[in-house]
Amino acid sequence: VDSAANAAHDSFLQLKKLGLAGRSRVVEIVKGLCAANTETWGKFELNETRIGRLDHKIAKLEIMNKVPGVEWLRPYALSGDDGITLEEYAPFGVVGAILPVTHSIPTLTGNVINMVAAGNAIVFNPHPGGAKSAVLATREYNKAIARELGIENLICVIENPSLESFEKISKHELIAIMAITGGPAVVNAAMQSGKRSICAGPGNPVVVVDETADLDRAARCVIEGGAFDNNLLCIGEKAVFVVGSVYGRFLQAMENAGAGKLNAAQLERLTDAAFTYKEDDGGCSHPVVNRDLVGASPKLLAEKAGARVPDGCELLIAETDADHPYVQEEQMMPMVPIVSVPDFETGVHQAKQAEHGYRHSAIIHSTNVSNLTHMGREMDTTIYVKNGPSMAGLGLGGEGYLSYSVATTTGEGITTPKTFTRVRRCVMVENLRIV
């Protein structure tokens, strides 16, 4: 950590001398290299992590052009009788960043674009399960940056990451700010570090389908979002609440769209394989996800359930109640529970309970404007998608920009270059206006 922090700080000082033009060139280099290596790096990450789907590993790398760069850092100016004030976005210096195993190279690449566009250097502590992937991409980025700009260690990665290296990063004097993408444990640890921490924490995205929805479209969208990379996305559909009057028709629409439906006995078998139970400090038992099934294929999950699904099935579904572990836990598997609710208001209420106040992501399928508004206000999530798959919330099939770090815990939202800056005000006093 010491050598990484010192190398990154030296690179930050070099980048500072190159100004906005240098930052822009780094962003171009990173986006270009990522676009040229999507298939190679996607295969490498899948082989290392053994979770998710190859086509979607590649797809996540193909869309880095949607991550914003220096163009987001427009200054704000005031001119009045008392002079001129200019506010600009200044870098912090060195960012200490934590990567998840679910999207190692995509999260690293998106963070590099945002953080370097803001003028920073980075020290990454990747998840041990995706560390080789992070190192692979970083080496290629650094080689190209050094060749063109003469900066050798703008991006640093702890090659053998551990909890100890994370703790050292969070306390190192040369690291000015922390950026965390991960689960509750690492987020809580970062927030105890004493440094400002930008935390993309847990979510449990919920879907509500009301009686006015286009059910066929809603079914296709749930499959598209819930099946993406075997439901590893933090914004991916994890549970669906459907108004009872259209519940049966929606289930049929899901099957017509290609979802594989488990019966009650099969769901019970899969649940036994997917969750264990652990007592918390208060003596209460709660379900814990079996990490061996996170990002597993629908075929493997079906085998665990004692079911068979046709080739090409992307998503499993099952009828459950609102208290089922698959509803209440962020399970990250291509098996989405479908819950019947008596009316729309009850559906929103139960969805809000299942989302656990993370205020991360929510999706609705409805043509009723009042319902669209009501759920948005009640859920108060960072991402709220209406009549589309979850990925539309990150600009994939919907308007907008991309980031793989959605900072819901600390409130910054979808991260941009501005997220990793501090506002600096410059004031010149007296009569400077010519009008």
Side-chain angles (χ1 to χ4, degrees), residues 13-145:
L13 296 177
Q14 295 178 62
L15 180 67
K16 195 173 182 180
K17 294 178 181 178
L18 297 180
L20 286 173
R23 300 185 206 173
S24 296
R25 185 63 192 128
V26 172
V27 169
E28 290 174 2
I29 290 168
V30 169
K31 289 185 176 182
L33 271 174
C34 186
N37 288 280
T38 55
E39 187 169 340
T40 301
W41 290 357
K43 287 180 179 177
F44 189 96
E45 184 166 330
L46 180 61
N47 288 335
E48 182 186 14
T49 64
R50 301 200 175 280
I51 57 176
R53 289 172 45 172
L54 177 58
D55 56 340
H56 292 160
K57 295 289 186 213
I58 294 170
K60 287 188 293 186
L61 295 171
E62 289 176 334
I63 53 179
M64 287 299 164
N65 63 317
K66 288 182 172 285
V67 180
V70 296
E71 69 276 4
W72 273 65
L73 302 177
R74 299 186 183 95
Y76 174 69
L78 291 170
S79 175
D81 294 336
D82 294 322
I84 293 175
T85 289
L86 179 68
E87 290 185 343
E88 294 185 294
Y89 298 98
F92 278 93
V94 180
V95 181
I98 309 303
L99 298 175
V101 69
T102 48
H103 325 286
S104 186
I105 297 178
T107 305
L108 179 143
T109 301
N111 279 348
V112 167
I113 294 168
N114 278 333
M115 294 170 184
V116 174
N120 303 292
I122 315 107
V123 175
F124 284 107
N125 198 70
H127 188 286
K132 292 179 181 178
S133 298
V135 168
L136 171 71
T138 295
R139 282 179 175 154
E140 294 305 312
Y141 291 151
N142 277 340
K143 284 179 187 176
I145 294 167

